[in-house]
């Protein structure tokens, strides 16, 4: 018998890692080398360092596109070293900072290039990555929101279909996520940070602030619909595998995820965390306040979030809704990304007035 936490991580998230940039051989070799959960972060960091060295070597020799590819992959690996590893917070934060560093080094050399941005929020700021399609003067923009254990560094595979269809992509670490998680805890009223992000978009002359879309994945699949119930400047919303009410799904979550939620909510105990999860809800008429077009994706084999939550949201939202239930899809249907990634990008492009390609 292997380590139960290692087996849980592999069982729940293997398709996600492979769908978002981890090479199959790397996945097999690294996971086989992990005998106990306490080694998870260090083993993934070791393999991330291999790709980081390749990237830095390419930078040194002037092969900048190659460098961006290696460094972006290193960032993804460092992220997965940390994503649900909260047993040693110093070690996890070290891996996270390496993910931020590697992705930051890659940004100017991506095609198209990207820039790091800081968005004013409360008494500080939220870090984001802005990427604009080439040859478009004022493109519409898609704000992209991660989940409980994802960050902006993980989202390249998700952003590309939208970028290729003429949208700028703005990936932001919100409260409880990525660079913001150390200062700002998870909050259920995610319309507050989204308002700050939209306010910032409106200051940018290089973006069309009259055409803003919102996308969220996993817990972000709750955050995004929740936000558009209140933030009416957003024209369309995509929610991937989000809960209708997190507390109703609490007992379905792996122990790893509950502990991650506790840590990123800045709660002292799991009991406090469960109480806090009740604030992440679309109940009490909130779902009915959603008026913009909404696209919902849910895998019917999801073991973390009940697929019926997607049906309930679709039934209660007031605006036009497209509900895509993927019969053999796991959480976020990461085992079937081809079933929805391009399709949702086509849908969002149409909502934001872009030509069909």
């Amino acid at each position: 018998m292997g380590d139960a936490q290692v087996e849980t991580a592999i069982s729940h998230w293997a398709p996600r890692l492979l769908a978002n940039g981890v090479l199959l051989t790397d996945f097999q070799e690294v996971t086989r080398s992990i005998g106990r959960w306490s080694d998870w972060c260090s083993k993934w960091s070791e393999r991330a360092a291999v790709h980081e060295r390749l990237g830095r070597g390419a930078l040194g020799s002037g092969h900048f596109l190659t460098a961006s590819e290696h460094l972006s992959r290193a960032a993804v690996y460092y992220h997965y070293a940390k994503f649900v590893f909260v047993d040693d917070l110093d070690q996890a934060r070290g891996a996270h900072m390496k993910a931020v560093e590697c992705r930051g080094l890659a940004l100017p050399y991506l095609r198209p290039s990207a820039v790091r941005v800081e968005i004013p929020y409360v008494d500080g700021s939220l870090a984001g990555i802005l990427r604009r399609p080439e040859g478009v003067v004022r493109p519409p923009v898609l704000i992209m929101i991660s989940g409980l254990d994802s960050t902006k560094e993980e989202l390249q595979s998700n952003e590309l279909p939208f970028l290729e269809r003429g949208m700028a992509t703005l990936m932001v670490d919100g409260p409880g996520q990525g660079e913001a998680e150390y200062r700002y805890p998870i909050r259920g009223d995610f319309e507050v940070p989204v308002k700050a992000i939209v306010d910032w978009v409106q200051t940018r002359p290089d973006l069309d602030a009259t055409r803003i879309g919102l996308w969220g994945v996993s817990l972000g699949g709750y955050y995004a619909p929740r936000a558009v119930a209140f933030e009416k400047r957003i024209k369309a919303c995509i929610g991937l595998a989000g809960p209708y009410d997190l507390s109703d799904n609490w007992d379905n979550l792996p122990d790893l995820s509950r502990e991650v939620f506790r840590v990123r909510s800045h709660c002292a105990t799991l009991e406090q965390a469960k109480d806090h999860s009740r604030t992440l809800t679309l109940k009490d008429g909130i779902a009915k306040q959603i008026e913009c077009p909404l696209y919902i994706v849910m895998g019917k084999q999801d073991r973390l979030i009940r697929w019926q939550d997607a049906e309930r949201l679709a039934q209660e939202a007031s605006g036009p809704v497209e509900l895509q239930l993927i019969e053999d899809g796991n959480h976020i249907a990461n085992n079937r990304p081809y079933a929805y990634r391009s399709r949702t990008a086509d849908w969002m492009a149409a909502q934001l007035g872009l030509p069909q390609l």
Side-chain angles (χ1 to χ4, degrees):
M1 293 292 292
D3 184 287
Q5 289 176 300
V6 175
E7 291 180 352
T8 294
I10 294 171
S11 171
H12 282 286
W13 295 296
R16 169 180 166 184
L17 271 67
L18 296 174
N20 291 333
V22 173
L23 300 175
L24 176 59
T25 301
D26 280 346
F27 177 82
Q28 292 171 331
E29 291 176 351
V30 173
T31 54
R32 277 200 300 263
S33 75
I34 301 172
R36 56 185 182 176
W37 179 244
S38 58
D39 293 334
W40 179 275
C41 187
S42 61
K43 292 295 186 181
W44 275 107
S45 294
E46 288 172 8
R47 188 57 57 99
V50 172
H51 297 282
E52 181 184 359
R53 286 193 293 271
L54 290 169
R56 290 184 182 276
L59 275 181
S61 62
H63 293 95
F64 299 118
L65 181 59
T66 296
S68 74
E69 294 166 347
H70 287 306
L71 289 165
S72 292
R73 177 165 286 119
V76 169
Y77 284 38
Y78 279 123
H79 165 69
Y80 286 130
K82 168 260 185 186
F83 78 129
V84 291
F85 188 82
V86 292
D87 291 36
D88 181 339
L89 294 179
D90 289 338
Q91 185 182 170
R93 188 167 186 168
H96 177 211
M97 292 300 102
K98 290 295 291 183
V100 172
E101 178 185 353
C102 287
R103 185 63 169 159
L105 287 171
L107 295 182
Y109 309 114
L110 299 173
R111 293 190 179 178
S113 63
V115 294
R116 177 185 173 88
V117 299
E118 302 281 344
I119 298 169
Y121 173 72
V122 189
D123 56 352
S125 62
L126 301 175
I129 295 173
L130 174 64
R131 203 168 173 193
R132 299 172 66 254
E134 292 179 342
V136 183
V137 177
R138 291 184 72 243
V141 58
L142 181 69
I143 300 166
M144 304 187 74
I145 303 298
S146 302
L148 172 63
D149 49 50
S150 51
T151 68
K152 63 188 182 303
E153 287 75 32
E154 186 188 359
L155 295 183
Q156 179 168 304
S157 296
N158 292 282
E159 70 156 333
L160 287 177
F162 300 97
L163 191 66
E164 290 166 348
R165 286 160 177 78
M167 285 163 262
T169 54
L170 176 59
M171 295 156 284
V172 182
D173 287 337
Q177 301 172 324
E179 293 184 66
E181 70 188 60
Y182 310 107
R183 184 170 184 178
Y184 303 115
I186 288 171
R187 62 187 300 167
D189 57 345
F190 213 80
E191 62 272 14
V192 176
V194 167
K195 178 184 183 300
I197 297 167
V198 174
D199 288 347
W200 180 85
V201 169
Q202 290 190 316
T203 70
R204 298 281 303 202
D206 57 344
L207 300 174
D208 186 349
T210 68
R211 293 186 292 164
I212 301 174
L214 184 62
W215 175 100
V217 60
S218 192
L219 195 55
Y222 155 78
Y223 289 146
R226 165 81 191 213
V228 297
F230 299 91
E231 177 49 76
K232 302 303 181 181
R233 291 173 290 178
I234 294 170
K235 301 302 182 185
C237 176
I238 295 171
L240 306 180
Y244 183 93
D245 183 290
L246 184 61
S247 66
D248 290 342
N249 290 274
W250 185 260
D251 293 336
N252 299 337
L253 299 176
D255 292 342
L256 281 172
S257 295
R258 287 195 288 264
E259 181 65 6
V260 170
F261 183 84
R262 182 193 70 77
V263 170
R264 293 178 187 155
S265 296
H266 300 188
C267 292
T269 68
L270 282 173
E271 288 182 2
Q272 291 175 2
K274 185 173 183 178
D275 286 343
H276 185 54
S277 75
R278 296 187 178 96
T279 69
L280 280 72
T281 186
L282 296 169
K283 293 178 180 177
D284 302 321
I286 293 174
K288 190 173 178 59
Q289 294 175 218
I290 300 172
E291 299 171 333
C292 72
L294 175 64
Y295 194 119
I296 306 167
V297 177
M298 182 70 80
K300 292 186 76 172
Q301 306 307 313
D302 194 324
R303 290 182 288 156
L304 281 71
I305 304 299
R306 302 174 307 183
W307 67 265
Q308 291 88 350
D309 282 22
E311 272 193 333
R312 182 174 180 182
L313 174 57
Q315 291 165 1
E316 294 185 14
S318 295
V321 177
E322 184 156 348
L323 173 62
Q324 184 180 3
L325 296 175
I326 300 174
E327 289 290 334
D328 57 351
N330 66 355
H331 185 53
I332 320 170
N334 275 321
N335 61 330
R336 300 289 182 265
Y338 49 81
Y340 67 89
R341 284 188 175 177
S342 295
R343 182 172 165 180
T344 54
D346 288 339
W347 179 88
M348 183 59 76
Q351 304 307 313
L352 299 183
L354 291 166
Q356 182 173 319
L357 298 177

